[in-house]
Amino acid sequence: MQILTGACGSAHLRPVARALQDRDALAGLWIPDKNITGISPDKYRRCWPYHLAMKPFYHLIPMGIKEKTAMAMFPLWGNWIRHQQIPPIDVAYTIMGHATELFEIAERTGAFKVIDASSSHPTSFYGFWQRECDLWCPGVRVGISRKMFARANRELERADVILCPSKFVRDSMLYNGIPEAKCFLNPYGVDTSTFTPRTTMPAKPRFVCVGTICLRKGHQYLFRAFEKVRKVLPDAELICAGGFYPDFQLEKKHWQGTFTHYENLNHSELAKILREATAFVFPSNEEGFARAIIEGMAAGLPIIATHESGATTLVDDGVEGIIVEARNVDQIAKAMVRVATNHEENERMGHAAHARGAKNNSWGDFADRLIKMCAAALEMKKTNQKISFK
């Protein structure tokens, strides 16, 4: 089996492509970013037109403007794809919103079309995010253009199979009318060589949250919850890693100085911070499946997160961590105090989180599940059976 993968941005495709290559299942990785995961040069293609057009903007402009610039440059990606020589492929696998051109290739060659739903269904994605903008930053619109949401909607309809990284994503697909038979649950993997379990709990409570600081990811609720936590645990520390998104402009001034902030961390730096933490907390209002949650699990941390973050795919309430209601400040605060004050439960949850999040869930395991799913689907297609993963 040969799988062609690519997107206008690498996301998690690089470690997936490396795992596919190790299994002799990679037809190609096509992205605008550097080849830093050891993909064979004959299988790696870089979209230079898009990369060169975006290069002046990567580090010089704020995140929101950079995102809008990337959308304006997006047609360069599609035009580049259409001029590529196509290797023999059985499957075209790409990310929601980036699939149109690769699906055109698949339909010309008879290949199987797989879309990775890195967020919830576009209708839910937009609605959940815009609600938070309306509440916390009136007048601000969702940063992604409606054209991209429309494009993603069309891609979901064209796909043979939709990879759902979380139960929340699968639920959103079914709610918005996607047939259950098309949805295949495959949680993201983790680099188990970098993210290793902690050996001890820190002396003072230390919570970590990783992700762009924005309304969609629920930081407005996290900061209010931590304010309550500090009244019970005055020496508690909250570490947030990620840049500020424009929709957080009104909230930002209220919370600066109340938490430790890192704008950019490489994987080794993040892994060290996670190993020195009490728990990982992520009260997102909308996600596909936050990869940082799985990295926190690999570090042996209890997870405090919402269903909407994707956490319920690998975290059972009271076992690997605590599932809280989205937007519920009191629940988030109580969960943080609980894992910080009950050391025995914290250690038990941390061990369980590592066992479920890291063991048998490397990027190689993700690739194995992808290959197995594609093989089963192709066999159904070959024998004229209706493809179904219900």
Side-chain angles (χ1 to χ4, degrees), residues 156-157 162 170 173-174 176-184 386-387 390:
L156 290 172
E157 296 299 322
I162 300 167
R170 185 179 59 187
M173 294 294 165
L174 303 186
N176 285 283
I178 298 294
E180 185 178 0
K182 285 179 63 169
C183 298
F184 181 81
K386 185 176 180 181
I387 296 170
K390 186 174 179 179

Side-chain angles (χ1 to χ4, degrees), residues 221 297 390:
Y221 305 110
M297 297 179 78
K390 186 174 179 179

Side-chain angles (χ1 to χ4, degrees), residues 70-385:
M71 293 299 100
M73 302 294 185
F74 200 80
L76 294 172
W77 160 258
N79 186 61
W80 178 82
I81 286 283
R82 294 186 178 101
H83 286 82
Q84 297 305 299
Q85 186 174 355
I86 312 304
I89 63 171
D90 302 297
V91 177
Y93 159 61
T94 184
I95 296 170
M96 185 172 69
H98 299 242
T100 300
E101 293 78 18
L102 284 180
F103 279 5
E104 289 173 0
I105 291 172
E107 287 164 357
R108 289 201 309 270
T109 60
F112 194 64
K113 304 187 293 292
V114 178
I115 195 167
D116 189 323
S118 51
S119 291
S120 59
H121 187 280
T123 303
S124 296
F125 184 6
Y126 176 84
F128 277 60
W129 190 356
Q130 188 59 55
R131 175 192 64 194
E132 299 305 316
C133 291
D134 293 342
L135 291 173
W136 299 99
C137 197
V140 167
R141 309 302 297 173
V142 164
I144 298 174
S145 73
R146 294 303 298 266
K147 288 183 179 179
M148 284 300 293
F149 286 106
R151 175 183 163 104
N153 267 316
R154 293 190 294 269
E155 291 171 353
L156 290 172
E157 296 299 322
R158 292 172 73 176
D160 294 309
V161 167
I162 300 167
L163 285 189
C164 300
S166 69
K167 292 178 179 178
F168 170 63
V169 167
R170 185 179 59 187
D171 291 347
S172 76
M173 294 294 165
L174 303 186
Y175 181 80
N176 285 283
I178 298 294
E180 185 178 0
K182 285 179 63 169
C183 298
F184 181 81
L185 187 64
N186 191 14
Y188 294 139
V190 63
D191 180 356
T192 52
S193 65
T194 300
F195 295 95
T196 55
R198 68 183 181 185
T199 56
T200 185
M201 285 181 59
K204 68 176 184 178
R206 183 179 294 122
F207 303 95
V208 179
C209 180
V210 180
T212 302
I213 300 174
C214 64
L215 300 178
R216 181 171 68 90
K217 294 181 184 291
H219 286 82
Q220 64 274 34
Y221 305 110
L222 172 61
F223 294 149
R224 284 168 171 78
F226 186 61
E227 188 175 46
K228 290 176 176 287
V229 171
R230 287 292 297 270
K231 293 177 180 177
V232 181
L233 304 170
D235 60 345
E237 179 185 9
L238 174 63
I239 298 173
C240 292
F244 284 95
Y245 199 79
D247 67 7
F248 213 74
Q249 57 185 299
L250 296 182
E251 284 291 295
K252 181 179 177 181
K253 60 187 177 184
H254 297 302
W255 307 110
Q256 280 187 307
T258 64
F259 61 96
T260 303
H261 181 221
Y262 296 97
E263 182 133 4
N264 295 297
L265 291 172
N266 62 39
H267 280 180
S268 61
E269 291 169 336
L270 174 58
K272 182 177 184 296
I273 287 174
L274 290 173
R275 286 193 295 270
E276 297 171 348
T278 301
F280 184 88
V281 56
F282 197 77
S284 184
N285 298 299
E286 191 285 328
E287 291 286 333
F289 191 167
R291 287 166 52 190
I293 289 177
I294 311 176
E295 292 164 354
M297 297 179 78
L301 299 182
I303 304 300
I304 301 170
T306 60
H307 173 61
E308 291 82 356
S309 74
T312 51
T313 312
L314 295 177
V315 177
D316 289 328
D317 186 36
V319 181
E320 292 85 8
I322 302 173
I323 301 300
V324 295
E325 290 180 359
R327 309 167 71 208
N328 191 321
V329 171
D330 288 338
Q331 275 198 17
I332 298 166
K334 288 178 182 177
M336 293 170 76
V337 170
R338 173 178 161 184
V339 298
T341 55
N342 190 329
H343 290 198
E344 182 178 345
E345 182 179 50
N346 186 299
E347 290 189 0
R348 175 176 57 78
M349 287 180 173
H351 288 309
H354 178 261
R356 193 171 184 189
K359 294 179 181 178
N360 302 317
N361 198 42
S362 67
W363 285 112
D365 296 314
F366 177 92
D368 287 337
R369 295 190 293 263
L370 172 62
I371 292 169
K372 184 177 180 181
M373 180 277 295
C374 290
L378 287 169
E379 184 60 30
M380 287 183 237
K381 186 177 180 181
K382 187 190 304 182
T383 56
N384 294 317
Q385 298 179 59

